[in-house]
């Protein structure tokens, strides 16, 4: 039953992506509205799936690669809904909806069985540490999506006010993501000291989280101190995405360590 709910959400997300591409290609407002409605349905179903899985597991469903990927996609979708409803940033959906679909597709390839938490994960820090990581990654993915949309709009010589809005949205998302990643690293260090008697062990996941943190710290430095913006920062936000994805996927696949469980 749970698998049916998950794949139903994935199917609706795929349909929303196709409709959004069609709307962008043919400039049809009706297709855009249909894509948005279908995407909301996908989000609601995914939300129900995560809640039901958490109830069945008797814990926050963030303990393995599948659960984190599902939460990661959910966080991107949630932020996209907020951007659309609060800031009318519908220009980001063509780039962002495919990212939700790709992360969900990756989740679909992972083992989906519900397992007991390993002893090291039974901590009050569990939800804060892993939840802030998922939300920070989502911010970075959307910032890159905004950067991509900026480059496409800039190439078409769109209005300067619209380009400035896209640039500033990317900056705000990275700022939020950076703060959340800082929470992730600090809470992880405190948790590690309690679980393994060491704040920092140079585990591959820790190292790559730090690399990601430094990468976005450089972005903020360039933005605030060197007054960089526009095309250069849009490219920066896009190029940084593979680092985020490697920290999420690549480390677990290629560099096993203390975080190999998820």
């Amino acid at each position: 039953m749970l698998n049916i709910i998950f794949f139903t959400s994935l199917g609706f997300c795929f349909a929303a992506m196709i409709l959004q591409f069609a709307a962008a290609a043919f400039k049809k407002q009706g297709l855009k509205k249909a894509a948005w409605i279908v995407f909301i349905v996908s989000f609601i179903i995914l939300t129900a799936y995560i809640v039901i899985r958490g109830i069945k597991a008797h814990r926050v469903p963030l303990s393995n690669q599948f659960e984190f990927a599902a939460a990661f996609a959910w966080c991107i979708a949630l932020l996209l809904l907020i951007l659309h409803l609060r800031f009318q940033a519908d220009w980001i959906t063509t780039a962002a909806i495919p990212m939700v679909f790709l992360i969900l597709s990756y989740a679909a390839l992972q083992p989906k069985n519900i397992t007991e938490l390993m002893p090291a994960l039974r901590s009050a820090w569990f939800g804060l540490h892993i939840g802030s990581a998922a939300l920070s990654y989502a911010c970075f993915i959307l910032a890159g999506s905004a950067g991509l949309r900026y480059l496409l709009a800039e190439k078409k010589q769109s209005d300067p006010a619209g380009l400035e809005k896209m640039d500033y949205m990317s900056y705000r998302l990275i700022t939020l993501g950076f703060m959340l990643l800082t929470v992730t690293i600090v809470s992880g260090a405190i948790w590690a000291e309690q679980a393994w008697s060491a704040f920092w062990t140079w585990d591959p996941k820790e190292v790559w989280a730090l690399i990601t943190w430094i990468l976005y710290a450089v972005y903020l430095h360039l933005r605030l101190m060197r007054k960089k913006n526009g095309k250069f920062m849009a490219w920066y936000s896009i190029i940084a995405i593979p680092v985020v994805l490697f920290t999420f996927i690549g480390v677990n696949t290629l560099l096993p360590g203390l975080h190999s469980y998820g």
Side-chain angles (χ1 to χ4, degrees):
M1 182 62 182
L2 273 179
N3 285 343
I4 293 173
I5 297 173
F6 175 79
F7 282 103
T8 301
S9 174
L10 179 62
F12 272 97
C13 188
F14 177 73
M17 180 179 68
I18 297 301
L19 286 169
Q20 185 62 38
F21 284 159
F26 299 111
K27 310 296 182 184
K28 297 291 186 179
Q29 196 65 30
L31 286 174
K32 183 185 290 188
K33 289 181 180 178
W36 187 242
I37 292 170
V38 173
F39 182 72
I40 290 174
V41 172
S42 174
F43 174 76
I44 292 171
I45 295 171
L46 182 60
T47 302
Y49 173 82
I50 291 172
V51 170
I52 295 170
R53 187 179 178 93
I55 292 171
K56 291 194 70 169
H58 303 290
R59 56 172 172 76
V60 179
L62 291 170
S63 71
N64 54 47
Q65 194 77 337
F66 167 74
E67 292 179 349
F68 186 91
F72 183 9
W74 183 85
C75 287
I76 299 174
L78 175 65
L79 289 173
L80 182 56
L81 285 167
I82 293 171
L83 292 178
H84 190 281
L85 297 174
R86 175 68 178 81
F87 301 102
Q88 290 75 54
D90 60 335
W91 46 265
I92 201 174
T93 53
T94 304
I97 290 177
M99 294 306 301
V100 178
F101 174 72
L102 288 174
I103 299 298
L104 280 178
S105 297
Y106 170 75
L109 299 175
Q110 305 305 307
K112 301 171 189 62
N113 52 306
I114 297 175
T115 58
E116 291 291 327
L117 282 180
M118 59 188 296
L121 296 182
R122 294 168 188 166
S123 168
W125 295 103
F126 176 70
L128 175 65
H129 175 66
I130 304 177
S132 60
L135 198 51
S136 69
Y137 291 174
C139 288
F140 297 144
I141 291 295
L142 282 176
S145 299
L148 177 61
R149 188 66 182 83
Y150 178 97
L151 293 176
L152 293 173
E154 194 261 350
K155 192 174 183 179
K156 295 178 181 177
Q157 297 181 335
S158 297
D159 66 294
L163 290 173
E164 185 177 350
K165 181 187 294 185
M166 294 174 192
D167 175 62
Y168 189 58
M169 182 65 71
S170 182
Y171 161 65
R172 292 174 74 177
L173 284 165
I174 286 176
T175 301
L176 176 59
F178 181 79
M179 290 189 296
L180 288 165
L181 186 57
T182 302
V183 171
T184 301
I185 292 173
V186 172
S187 61
I190 297 171
W191 187 6
E193 198 280 330
Q194 294 177 353
W196 300 311
S197 301
F199 286 105
W200 192 265
T201 61
W202 296 103
D203 178 73
K205 183 72 85 172
E206 294 174 353
V207 171
W208 277 91
L210 180 61
I211 290 171
T212 305
W213 187 89
I214 292 171
L215 183 69
Y216 285 104
V218 171
Y219 173 98
L220 293 175
H221 172 75
L222 292 173
R223 177 89 191 199
L224 297 173
M225 305 307 294
R226 300 295 182 88
K227 308 299 182 183
K228 294 277 188 180
N229 55 19
K231 190 173 183 178
F232 177 86
M233 301 314 286
W235 273 114
Y236 195 113
S237 66
I238 295 168
I239 293 170
I241 286 180
V243 178
V244 174
L245 293 178
F246 185 82
T247 303
F248 164 48
I249 300 171
V251 172
N252 291 66
T253 306
L254 304 174
L255 304 171
L258 292 172
H259 290 78
S260 295
Y261 50 81

